[in-house]
Amino acid sequence: MRISALAADAGLPVATVKYYLREGLLHAGTATSATQATYDAGHLRRLRLVRALLGPVGLSVQQARAVLQLVDEPGDDLYSTLGRAVSALPPAAAPPGDESDPYPRARAALTALGQVYDPDFPAVAQLEGALAAAESAGMPMSAERLAHYGRVLSDVAEFDLDRMPQEPRGAVEYTVLGTALYEPVLLALRRLAHQDAALRRLQRAE
Amino acid sequence: MRISALAADAGLPVATVKYYLREGLLHAGTATSATQATYDAGHLRRLRLVRALLGPVGLSVQQARAVLQLVDEPGDDLYSTLGRAVSALPPAAAPPGDESDPYPRARAALTALGQVYDPDFPAVAQLEGALAAAESAGMPMSAERLAHYGRVLSDVAEFDLDRMPQEPRGAVEYTVLGTALYEPVLLALRRLAHQDAALRRLQRAE
């Protein structure tokens, strides 16, 4: 298809598609003449991914380019590639302190959960910040709550990994989008579950 | 204690404490002379709450004041007060369309989960936006995933509600802080559970 048809199918202005081409976010079409090229379903699929990364996921063009490079060239060490891809997502990790134990709360929490603790993984800094904020507000995560949340989210993680595509490029794309796009779903569902559970308790009490 | 001791205990500059007093976020102390007042543990506790609302929770002074009013005067309808308190938290809900069915995806999802659907509750708009974003990225929430996440978060909600203080003011405070402060913990734990589960699978495969 022509670039105009591609843009129309993706629901984007032609100028935006040309901008993505210039920025290297979308691979070039197949030249059919000196001034024209043709695009296929692979381009449409990529446009949808680019739009998600720049839109709801909230990446800059530069960050999106880095993620797309990992999708395109996942390499042999898929575990490390997935880690790097998720690390590119917001929120940006706070830089580690130069102390010997920069994330004591996260380390203790992950140890209690029996999970791997890798201070280089940005979600560790994210967990440390979240635990510190709860603590300083006078609502520290109890060991009981941590164990419960941790068990529940391991259950979610197993579910998510069971459905990860085998093929490496698809696996990176699934991991990036599944991490970023389902997070707001999870938070909204928690708030709604609170509301639903509170209403049921109220009705039982009446 | 004097205001200087209160500020020191809260880890805040005296000027900040005076600002909270002027803005009505902190209740006045007991006057001991024309120019001095004394403060107690209740003030310290409130300061910690105010600091959390303006800091990690991310509210404006005006939003924090609205939440604090609900904490101070929860009224007789606690369910509605809790709903209003959570509604004051970010993210701000998109204004509802004026159509007859503004949140079709959220309505379908909650119906499938057997949960109450109340379009006036902002988390409904939040869920609608999250589901629409996943859909347009080509990663719609499957019925299976929705059922799984929904079940898991109902489990979290029951855990959270079981630990809600009976006393209304404490219940509002717990709900606001527990919603806002534990959300980043949940998201970090999901990312870390993914990493942990992926590593375990890799090790089993070797």
Side-chain angles (χ1 to χ4, degrees):
Chain A
M1 67 186 113
R2 295 277 179 79
I3 194 167
S4 53
L6 175 68
D9 278 7
L12 290 169
V14 172
T16 302
V17 176
K18 287 183 174 170
Y19 172 69
Y20 293 166
L21 283 165
R22 278 199 308 279
E23 290 290 337
L25 300 176
L26 180 67
H27 48 294
T30 308
T32 52
S33 78
T35 56
Q36 285 198 330
T38 183
Y39 300 86
D40 58 26
H43 290 89
L44 188 58
R45 185 177 158 76
R46 171 58 67 107
L47 272 185
R48 212 156 53 172
L49 175 58
V50 170
R51 210 179 47 177
L53 294 177
L54 299 179
V57 177
L59 300 188
S60 68
V61 166
Q62 199 182 337
Q63 290 167 324
R65 198 186 290 121
V67 167
L68 292 169
Q69 268 166 10
L70 295 171
V71 170
D72 292 337
E73 291 165 30
D76 290 333
D77 183 354
L78 186 59
Y79 173 74
S80 147
T81 302
L82 294 177
R84 275 186 292 149
V86 173
S87 301
L89 303 177
D98 54 359
E99 319 142 53
S100 60
D101 187 14
Y103 309 119
R105 295 171 188 83
R107 185 179 43 70
L110 291 171
T111 306
L113 292 173
Q115 291 188 15
V116 58
Y117 168 71
D118 177 354
D120 290 336
F121 193 65
V124 168
Q126 198 181 327
L127 179 60
E128 179 73 19
L131 293 175
E135 197 177 295
S136 81
M139 294 258 297
M141 285 282 286
S142 67
E144 185 201 19
R145 185 181 299 271
L146 176 71
H148 191 86
Y149 284 23
R151 193 163 53 242
V152 150
L153 290 159
S154 288
D155 184 9
V156 167
E158 296 292 344
F159 179 95
D160 293 342
L161 281 183
D162 282 344
R163 282 146 193 85
M164 184 168 80
Q166 294 283 320
E167 177 263 315
R169 293 175 53 139
V172 180
E173 197 175 316
Y174 171 85
T175 299
V176 167
L177 292 181
T179 298
L181 295 173
Y182 296 153
E183 285 183 351
V185 175
L186 274 163
L187 297 188
L189 284 176
R190 176 167 175 252
R191 292 194 185 186
L192 292 164
H194 281 151
Q195 190 195 26
D196 185 70
L199 189 60
R200 279 174 208 279
R201 287 177 187 218
L202 194 72
Q203 284 166 344
R204 271 203 304 272
E206 268 168 7
Chain B
M1 67 186 117
R2 296 276 179 82
I3 193 166
S4 53
L6 174 68
D9 279 7
L12 290 169
V14 172
T16 302
V17 176
K18 288 185 172 170
Y19 172 69
Y20 293 167
L21 283 165
R22 279 200 307 279
E23 290 290 336
L25 301 176
L26 181 68
H27 49 293
T30 308
T32 52
S33 78
T35 57
Q36 285 199 330
T38 183
Y39 301 87
D40 59 24
H43 290 89
L44 188 58
R45 186 177 156 75
R46 171 57 68 107
L47 272 184
R48 211 155 54 170
L49 174 59
V50 170
R51 210 179 47 176
L53 294 178
L54 298 179
V57 177
L59 300 187
S60 68
V61 166
Q62 197 182 338
Q63 291 167 325
R65 198 186 290 121
V67 167
L68 292 169
Q69 268 166 12
L70 295 170
V71 171
D72 291 337
E73 291 164 30
D76 291 334
D77 183 355
L78 185 61
Y79 174 74
S80 147
T81 301
L82 295 177
R84 275 187 292 149
V86 173
S87 300
L89 303 176
D98 52 1
E99 319 143 51
S100 58
D101 186 15
Y103 308 120
R105 294 173 188 81
R107 184 179 43 71
L110 292 170
T111 306
L113 292 174
Q115 290 188 15
V116 58
Y117 167 72
D118 177 354
D120 289 336
F121 193 65
V124 168
Q126 198 181 328
L127 179 60
E128 179 72 20
L131 292 175
E135 196 177 294
S136 81
M139 295 258 297
M141 286 283 285
S142 66
E144 185 200 18
R145 186 180 299 270
L146 177 72
H148 191 85
Y149 284 23
R151 192 164 53 241
V152 150
L153 291 159
S154 288
D155 184 9
V156 167
E158 295 293 344
F159 179 95
D160 293 342
L161 281 183
D162 282 344
R163 281 146 194 86
M164 184 167 81
Q166 293 282 321
E167 177 262 314
R169 291 175 54 138
V172 179
E173 196 175 317
Y174 172 85
T175 300
V176 167
L177 291 181
T179 298
L181 294 173
Y182 296 153
E183 286 184 351
V185 176
L186 273 163
L187 297 188
L189 284 177
R190 175 165 176 253
R191 292 193 186 186
L192 292 163
H194 281 151
Q195 191 195 26
D196 185 70
L199 189 61
R200 280 175 206 278
R201 287 178 187 216
L202 194 73
Q203 284 166 343
R204 272 203 305 271
E206 267 166 6

